[in-house]
Amino acid sequence: MSSQRATAFVPGHVTAFFSAHPADDPSVAGSRGAGVTLTDGVTVTVSAGDASDAASDETGSRTIDGRTGSVGAAEDVLAELDAVAADVAVETDLPIGAGFGVSGAAALGAALAANAALDRGRSENELVGIAHAAEVGRGTGLGDVVAQARGGAPIRLEPGAPGVGELDAVPAAARVEYVTFGELSTEAVLGGDTAALSAAGEDALDRLRADPRLPTVMAAARRFAREADLLVSEVADALDAVDEAGGEAAMAMLGRTVFALGSGLSDAGYEPEVCRIDAAGARLVEQ
Amino acid sequence: MSSQRATAFVPGHVTAFFSAHPADDPSVAGSRGAGVTLTDGVTVTVSAGDASDAASDETGSRTIDGRTGSVGAAEDVLAELDAVAADVAVETDLPIGAGFGVSGAAALGAALAANAALDRGRSENELVGIAHAAEVGRGTGLGDVVAQARGGAPIRLEPGAPGVGELDAVPAAARVEYVTFGELSTEAVLGGDTAALSAAGEDALDRLRADPRLPTVMAAARRFAREADLLVSEVADALDAVDEAGGEAAMAMLGRTVFALGSGLSDAGYEPEVCRIDAAGARLVEQ
């Protein structure tokens, strides 16, 4: 029952704070922390071309927003699903490399769409696990994929893929605004000494578990960014401006990005992108 | 930060097959099985009236589709959250008592909306656990709540509330049609001898885990209904008619209800309600 073509949507995810938990087994590796998934996200369409049977070793076409290009973690997912020969189109309005989990979203979207288009018969947990392992393997993220699979405002209680990790969430519906000042290398931060960062992340998680509300996510995130010494000047300025305007904002980990609840950034004089918390999490939208 | 009024939507859930796993601790009790959540569901609005502080012992207003009425499991949730004094309005297009999990949806919707309206500060897992325990305690369902919280086409691998049970899902987007011929008492079936039913349910789950595809859900469900001796004549007739028309249909557990993928029931000459698999799961829609 192969539909030959399928499209998946995966929400963007801004991490508010985290602790890093590397491990040799990528399904065990991951992060604890919390964040917010966004109705702005990544759409991945997988089409089985003529050469798309599992035996083919030709690589299908790859585009990002219509131009030739591919995402490493998504390529690893396609290889795992014997789907390298399929054509894959990634589309997103989100900035890349700015802390929105675009890499993880592309990997998870590729997993869901390839499974449906090529009728690979994997379960949702298996597909999330494959995308999580690919993302961790590439060093481009540690917890976006499991958060994006759930949607809402996920809390990552225990690191790892489905069946290993454990999730909860802050029950919340809200408008979210964001501005981006440029890229920050996830690989560079995660590849360095993460001890101080992880200690700050564990403290933040304790505070959120004691009070799972959205304002607590934002306050814990601001304190985490200071304690982990990750604030950059444009971000610090924007956080101050939103605070002075009476709003709630935080830095997206890891990017030169600020996100705010409600109209926090608009009220502070910025011209932000506007979306909402995504309630659904990653899903097939067409098959 | 109490918003005083909040609305939650919870998808309907038709169970395809299940095994019953009673236990003294309601967070451990539940069911294994699989089903499909629906974009037709239950909307619950909780408003904190003047008398809505925790100390009040006056019960607020209760309506179902605009008429005075309450749902037992939802009342137990409101008591647990010190929210009995709030006004609660339940609205649904789904038939009640026909296998759509309306009772569980009302309980889960009440939990999400009361938590937001009265700023009770519970996490999503806590709220799902409270609704699950209320539903199990009332004997009106064993697995709808955790499935409705997740959305999609959930597989209940292990029974119980979040942190105890375990879920996976069939990755699928699809149109769903349904017709209802009347009520079937969940309490009567679950209160009787469930040994044969549960053995058939475990077999069905094994088949689905080996092949997590939507057509397998439907085939396993039809076999389960026969083996568990739950088929009623109108349902059996409709299943035969859809099969003859080349479609995929199954009986909703526990109701005199048939659901079909795509246009299965229309093609067989029925005039069904039409919806889709709900990707999001239970969520706050307004707070």
Side-chain angles (χ1 to χ4, degrees), chain B residues 190-217:
Chain B
L190 295 183
D193 180 3
T194 57
L197 178 157
S198 285
E202 295 284 356
D203 285 350
L205 183 58
D206 288 343
R207 285 193 290 278
L208 182 61
R209 292 188 72 159
D211 184 38
R213 291 172 165 92
L214 219 41
T216 307
V217 173

Side-chain angles (χ1 to χ4, degrees), chain A residues 1 112 115-116 118-128 150-153 155 157 163 166-174 210-215 276 279-287, chain B residues 1 112 115-116 118-128 150-153 155 157 163 166-174 210-215 276 279-287:
Chain A
M1 205 193 75
L112 288 165
N115 180 69
L118 303 174
D119 198 27
R120 292 296 187 248
R122 305 297 186 104
S123 77
E124 230 172 66
N125 288 2
E126 288 175 312
L127 296 170
V128 175
R150 177 164 180 139
I155 306 171
L157 299 175
E166 204 183 315
L167 293 171
D168 197 349
V170 176
D211 184 39
R213 291 171 165 92
L214 219 41
R276 294 190 61 81
R283 64 256 189 200
L284 282 170
V285 290
E286 205 179 294
Q287 81 178 114
Chain B
M1 204 196 74
L112 288 166
N115 180 70
L118 304 174
D119 197 27
R120 292 296 186 245
R122 305 296 187 102
S123 77
E124 230 172 68
N125 287 2
E126 288 175 310
L127 296 170
V128 175
R150 176 165 182 140
I155 307 172
L157 299 174
E166 204 183 316
L167 294 171
D168 196 350
V170 176
D211 184 38
R213 291 172 165 92
L214 219 41
R276 293 191 61 79
R283 65 257 189 198
L284 282 171
V285 289
E286 204 180 296
Q287 80 177 118

